[in-house]
Amino acid sequence: MMHGPVTDQDDSTSTAMGNTPLAVLQRALGLCNNIIVVFASIALIAACIILSYSVLGRALFHSPNYWQDEAAVFLLVGATFMTAAYVQSQRGHVSIEAFVGLLSERANRIRLWLVDVASFAFCAFFAWKSWTLAHEAYVDGQVSNSMWSPPLAIPYVLMALGMSLLCIQLLLQIILPLTGGARR
């Protein structure tokens, strides 16, 4: 879902004009996001296959499922959090557009910028807490409470890394309008 009629969203050619480090960071993050989307797609397909195998295995062969549900959840958590920066780069997150038609173009740009700042503050806190949770899970050797007992550091690191990438994307979206670049 795109934000409303803000004219500088359409011009993606001069996104970071005149600001080489910012343009390099934006291109690198875009490349990273595109690679992550491919792996996340594979993870979603793998989760579907694992869950289908689990259902068929229980129904047809009465075999227990010790690892299938947890493996699918780990894959889904990884795919969800790791693709958050890509979704934000496309402005695909849900936004409330009740005021878009009522506000001027400049007011809408300010509104978008303030939303990005508030989102960044929340996501930065979430990323920080995720990294502390991942560190704690790794240091303490925490595992899940199932028979399979995979390390909980795996989903926590995926969550923390995904939120960190989202913070970088939001930071780019905050800085770009301040440097004269076009907002995406």
Side-chain angles (χ1 to χ4, degrees):
M1 171 178 249
M2 296 295 288
H3 291 280
V6 180
T7 57
D8 67 346
Q9 286 179 338
D10 299 328
D11 182 20
S12 60
T13 57
S14 65
T15 304
M17 63 181 191
N19 195 335
T20 306
L22 199 57
V24 169
L25 178 61
Q26 188 172 24
R27 280 193 298 273
L29 185 60
L31 177 64
C32 180
N33 284 338
N34 288 335
I35 292 169
I36 288 171
V37 165
V38 170
F39 283 107
S41 300
I42 294 168
L44 290 176
I45 292 168
C48 290
I49 292 169
I50 289 170
L51 289 174
S52 297
Y53 168 77
S54 173
V55 169
L56 288 174
R58 278 183 295 189
L60 298 178
F61 307 115
H62 303 291
S63 66
N65 60 344
Y66 298 116
W67 60 272
Q68 292 93 337
D69 291 342
E70 240 170 351
V73 167
F74 279 29
L75 290 168
L76 292 173
V77 165
T80 300
F81 281 98
M82 292 300 292
T83 57
Y86 173 80
V87 173
Q88 181 62 32
S89 73
Q90 303 299 311
R91 287 289 187 178
H93 288 289
V94 175
S95 64
I96 299 172
E97 298 184 5
F99 299 110
V100 172
L102 301 173
L103 299 174
S104 67
E105 183 181 320
R106 181 173 184 201
N108 272 320
R109 274 194 235 131
I110 293 169
R111 177 188 61 85
L112 282 173
W113 190 81
L114 290 174
V115 167
D116 285 344
V117 169
S119 297
F120 174 76
F122 172 78
C123 290
F125 177 75
F126 193 109
W128 170 66
K129 291 305 282 181
S130 296
W131 281 114
T132 60
L133 188 63
H135 180 263
E136 180 181 307
Y138 178 75
V139 168
D140 294 345
Q142 296 175 4
V143 296
S144 71
N145 292 331
S146 69
M147 289 181 71
W148 183 36
S149 300
L152 288 175
I154 295 169
Y156 294 159
V157 165
L158 291 171
M159 186 170 60
L161 188 58
M163 291 305 292
S164 297
L165 290 172
L166 179 57
C167 286
I168 294 169
Q169 181 64 48
L170 285 165
L171 194 58
L172 278 171
Q173 289 175 194
I174 290 168
I175 294 171
L176 278 174
L178 300 176
T179 60
R183 174 185 294 278
R184 168 109 179 118

